[in-house]
């Protein structure tokens, strides 16, 4: 498939290329997992280049434990001097070109700000935060990738800055004045990224691009435009983080995270029951994951031009297009299979019978599922009301956007990520479809614990002790609105291509 040869890896194809390298799809032979193998085009001939690469590996490796940083598995140098890094494969592609609802964009901002806060705490800067470097992993979680420009502050002559290595529409204004890199630059870039996820374009920069440095600096003096349909509280948080003077900017990534999380946003509009208006490319670049207007509502007039934009200046600088390399792949998710509606129980007294009305049978909360409690470990959790399912249920990766969870049902003989090991009613004091909130409930934690998972395994799976992970899969928002009130406890084996049931 490729002339590239890396010991221990089988190259299966090219995922994408841009910037300074090429990203390949590879199979890590030792553990049998697919990975992303990033090969730098530059050759490490000098000690300075070698120090830069080692710094990148050290920085990225130190952050691999964060849930919103793409893990680094391996690194090395090819015989021709080109360095490579082996990273977790993120099949969902990047957020480049995508437009999200305010709640979705806010949620992405909170998670990536937390990742940057962890990086800054270790003295690591990213220096190239943008939608193309935010990827969706196989569990549907966003993760920050490509610490290719990572640098340690005050690390000597290697901490150089070049305008050629920046993405102009997301880089802070001080970077174009060759100021020393700082955490404030990452704060600016993340705010610009969240703005782009809301509006489709980074702030201040026109789609046609800019021709020179003078125009870039002029653009940074313009006010940040409003975004139609975005709550002013959210725009205000972004404006503080996009302040041109870093001394007056949001002081840290942790502060930006907390300010974004505190923005009060109304619940997302209910999804229409009818089939979707467009192909399931809800995440096709340039298309929003769901309409920002309520269902069936059409805008009565075109949105006004964003406030504060200097149209003359924009017309002058619209001469040269910026090329921003998007991450590999387009992530299309399939909605979780709707549970069958509960059958109506009809009770009719026979003609001429006497006065007693037969008692109606209470419908099961586990609508459409065949469940049992005898010899079911989850059913032993006091107050959980849990049960096990008689038919094996296997799923693809979870997609969790602002707590709304979806997954694709698969046959257990197919390659899958998750399998159901228990079901339970949503606690009365936690009636929500939001995955993060439900997973924190004390009873849910006990029912979906690793202890219950391990006790539920059957057959040869009982001898497999390592690599198990338990999680919670609530009903999707649309299912919740249709009355579904139970959640699933699901299990996964980390780094394993599962093609069978472990619980049946």
């Amino acid at each position: 498939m490729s002339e590239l040869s890396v010991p221990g890896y089988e190259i299966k194809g090219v995922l994408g290329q841009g910037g300074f390298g090429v990203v390949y799809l590879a199979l890590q032979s030792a553990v049998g997992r697919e990975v992303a193998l990033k090969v730098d085009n530059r050759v490490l001939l000098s000690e300075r280049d070698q120090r830069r690469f080692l710094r990148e590996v050290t920085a990225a490796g130190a952050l691999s434990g964060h849930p919103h940083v793409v893990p680094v598995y391996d690194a090395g140098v090819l015989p021709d001097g080109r360095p490579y890094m082996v990273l977790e494969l993120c099949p969902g592609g990047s957020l480049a070109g995508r437009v999200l609802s305010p709640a979705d964009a806010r949620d992405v901002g909170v998670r990536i700000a937390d990742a940057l806060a962890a990086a800054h705490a270790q003295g690591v800067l990213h220096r190239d935060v943008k939608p193309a470097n935010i990827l969706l992993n196989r569990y549907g979680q966003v993760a920050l990738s490509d610490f290719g420009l990572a640098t340690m502050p005050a690390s000597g002559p290697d901490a150089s800055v070049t305008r050629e290595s920046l993405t102009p529409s997301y880089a802070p204004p001080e970077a174009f004045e060759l100021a020393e890199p700082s955490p404030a630059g990452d704060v600016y870039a993340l705010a610009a990224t969240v703005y782009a996820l809301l509006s489709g374009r980074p702030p201040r920069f026109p789609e046609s691009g800019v021709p020179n440095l003078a125009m870039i600096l002029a653009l940074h003096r313009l006010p940040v435009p409003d975004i139609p349909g975005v709550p002013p509280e959210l725009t205000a948080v972004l404006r503080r983080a996009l302040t041109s003077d870093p001394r007056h900017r949001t002081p840290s990534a942790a502060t930006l995270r907390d300010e974004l999380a505190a923005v009060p946003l109304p619940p997302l509009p209910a999804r229409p029951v009818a089939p979707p208006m467009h192909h399931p490319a809800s995440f096709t670049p340039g298309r929003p994951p769901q309409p920002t207007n309520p269902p069936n509502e059409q805008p009565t007039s075109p949105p006004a031009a964003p406030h504060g934009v200097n149209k003359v200046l924009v017309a002058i600088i619209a001469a040269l297009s910026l090329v921003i390399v998007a991450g590999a792949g387009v992530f299309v998710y399939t909605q979780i299979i709707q549970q069958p509606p509960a059958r109506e129980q009809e009770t009719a007294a026979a003609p001429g019978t006497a006065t007693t009305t037969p008692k109606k049978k209470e419908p099961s909360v586990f609508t459409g599922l065949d469940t049992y409690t005898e010899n079911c470990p989850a059913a032993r959790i006091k107050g959980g009301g849990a049960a096990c399912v008689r038919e094996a249920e296997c799923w693809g990766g979870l997609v969790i956007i602002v707590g709304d969870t979806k997954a694709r049902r698969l046959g257990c003989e197919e390659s899958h990520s998750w399998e159901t090991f228990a079901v339970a009613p949503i606690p009365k004091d936690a009636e929500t479809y939001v995955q993060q909130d439900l997973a924190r409930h004390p009873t849910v934690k006990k029912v979906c614990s690793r202890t219950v998972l391990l006790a539920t395994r059957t057959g040869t799976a009982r001898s497999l002790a390592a690599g198990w992970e338990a999680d919670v899969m609530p009903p999707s928002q649309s299912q919740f609105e249709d009355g579904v009130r139970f959640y699933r406890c699901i299990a996964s084996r980390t780094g394993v291509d599962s093609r069978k049931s472990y619980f049946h």
Side-chain angles (χ1 to χ4, degrees):
M1 178 86 53
S2 170
E3 295 180 1
L4 179 70
S5 176
V6 181
Y9 298 91
E10 176 187 349
I11 307 301
K12 302 179 73 174
V14 176
L15 288 174
Q17 52 190 353
F20 293 127
V22 181
V23 182
Y24 296 89
L25 173 64
L27 181 69
Q28 191 174 11
S29 306
V31 294
R33 67 178 168 194
E34 288 187 328
V35 295
L37 194 151
K38 176 185 173 184
V39 179
D40 201 301
N41 291 334
R42 295 163 292 180
V43 178
L44 300 182
L45 297 177
S46 68
E47 289 185 5
R48 180 185 185 280
D49 289 335
Q50 292 172 5
R51 286 196 301 269
R52 179 190 175 95
F53 176 64
L54 292 175
R55 181 176 64 242
E56 176 178 350
V57 173
T58 301
L63 298 169
S64 289
H66 193 283
H68 300 299
V69 173
V70 177
V72 177
Y73 297 143
D74 194 8
V77 178
L78 299 175
D80 62 3
R82 289 181 298 159
Y84 68 88
M85 295 176 65
V86 180
L87 307 125
E88 178 188 28
L89 179 65
C90 293
S94 80
L95 297 187
R98 303 184 186 186
V99 179
L100 307 182
S101 71
D104 288 349
R106 186 270 314 268
D107 189 66
V108 169
V110 168
R111 297 180 186 195
I112 301 305
D114 191 66
L116 287 174
H120 295 168
Q122 297 189 39
V124 177
L125 305 179
H126 190 281
R127 290 183 58 198
D128 198 23
V129 180
K130 58 186 177 183
N133 282 336
I134 299 176
L135 308 182
L136 281 165
N137 64 22
R138 74 186 186 115
Y139 301 108
Q141 296 287 346
V142 290
L144 185 59
S145 180
D146 198 5
F147 275 81
L149 297 175
T151 181
M152 303 285 189
S155 59
D158 287 350
S160 61
V161 185
T162 58
R163 286 190 293 272
E164 290 75 25
S165 66
L166 302 173
T167 304
S169 50
Y170 296 95
E174 64 268 20
F176 300 98
E177 299 171 355
L178 301 185
E180 182 179 353
S182 72
D186 283 347
V187 169
Y188 181 98
L190 177 56
T193 295
V194 175
Y195 187 99
L197 294 175
L198 289 164
S199 70
R201 292 291 310 159
R204 305 183 178 109
F205 277 70
E207 189 172 0
S208 55
V210 293
N212 55 50
L213 177 60
M215 288 301 178
I216 290 175
L217 296 176
L219 283 172
H220 280 294
R221 290 194 287 270
L222 295 176
V224 175
D226 292 328
I227 307 172
V230 174
E233 297 90 343
L234 180 54
T235 307
V237 170
L238 297 180
R239 279 201 177 103
R240 280 192 293 274
L242 290 167
T243 301
S244 295
D245 188 339
R247 295 172 299 178
H248 302 145
R249 196 174 295 158
T250 304
S252 67
T255 303
L256 178 58
R257 174 198 62 204
D258 295 342
E259 289 185 356
L260 285 171
V263 173
L265 291 177
L268 297 175
R271 289 177 176 80
V273 178
M277 296 294 290
H278 46 270
H279 190 267
S282 301
F283 272 162
T284 300
R287 296 293 299 274
Q290 57 185 336
T292 53
N293 292 319
N296 303 321
E297 180 178 326
Q298 300 295 330
T300 54
S301 60
H307 173 70
V309 176
N310 187 322
K311 296 181 180 178
V312 176
L313 180 56
V314 170
I316 294 173
I317 63 176
L320 181 65
S321 295
L322 284 174
V323 178
I324 300 176
V325 179
V330 175
F331 185 66
V332 179
Y333 64 74
T334 305
Q335 289 197 4
I336 198 169
I337 298 174
Q338 283 282 20
Q339 307 297 334
R343 294 179 180 177
E344 296 182 2
Q345 304 289 333
E346 293 185 0
T347 1
T353 57
T355 51
T356 2
T357 305
K359 188 176 180 180
K360 291 185 179 180
K361 182 182 178 181
E362 289 294 326
S364 169
V365 69
F366 307 123
T367 307
L369 293 181
D370 187 6
T371 61
Y372 66 95
T373 56
E374 187 177 356
N375 297 324
C376 173
R380 301 178 196 136
I381 302 299
K382 186 177 179 181
C388 294
V389 291
R390 295 190 186 278
E391 180 184 351
E393 291 185 338
C394 295
W395 310 90
L398 300 185
V399 176
I400 306 173
I401 299 295
V402 197
D404 186 13
T405 305
K406 296 181 178 67
R408 184 161 57 98
R409 179 78 181 268
L410 298 170
C412 291
E413 74 283 357
E414 300 178 75
S415 177
H416 58 271
S417 301
W418 300 95
E419 182 180 356
T420 303
F421 67 89
V423 291
I426 296 174
K428 293 295 183 183
D429 59 345
E431 288 216 343
T432 179
Y433 64 87
V434 177
Q435 199 271 348
Q436 296 91 330
D437 294 342
L438 188 61
R440 285 196 292 262
H441 191 277
T443 303
V444 177
K445 282 183 177 180
K446 292 177 184 178
V447 174
C448 293
S449 67
R450 191 171 185 271
T451 302
V452 172
L453 183 162
L454 295 177
T456 312
R457 294 170 302 165
T458 61
T460 57
R462 288 187 171 276
S463 63
L464 305 173
W468 292 99
E469 178 184 355
D471 210 335
V472 179
M473 186 167 76
S476 67
Q477 181 186 2
S478 59
Q479 290 175 319
F480 187 84
E481 290 167 353
D482 287 341
V484 177
R485 290 295 184 272
F486 70 89
Y487 62 91
R488 289 171 165 85
C489 299
I490 53 177
S492 176
R493 291 200 64 214
T494 306
V496 175
D497 183 18
S498 300
R499 293 179 182 270
K500 63 180 181 179
S501 170
Y502 295 112
F503 303 100
H504 291 84

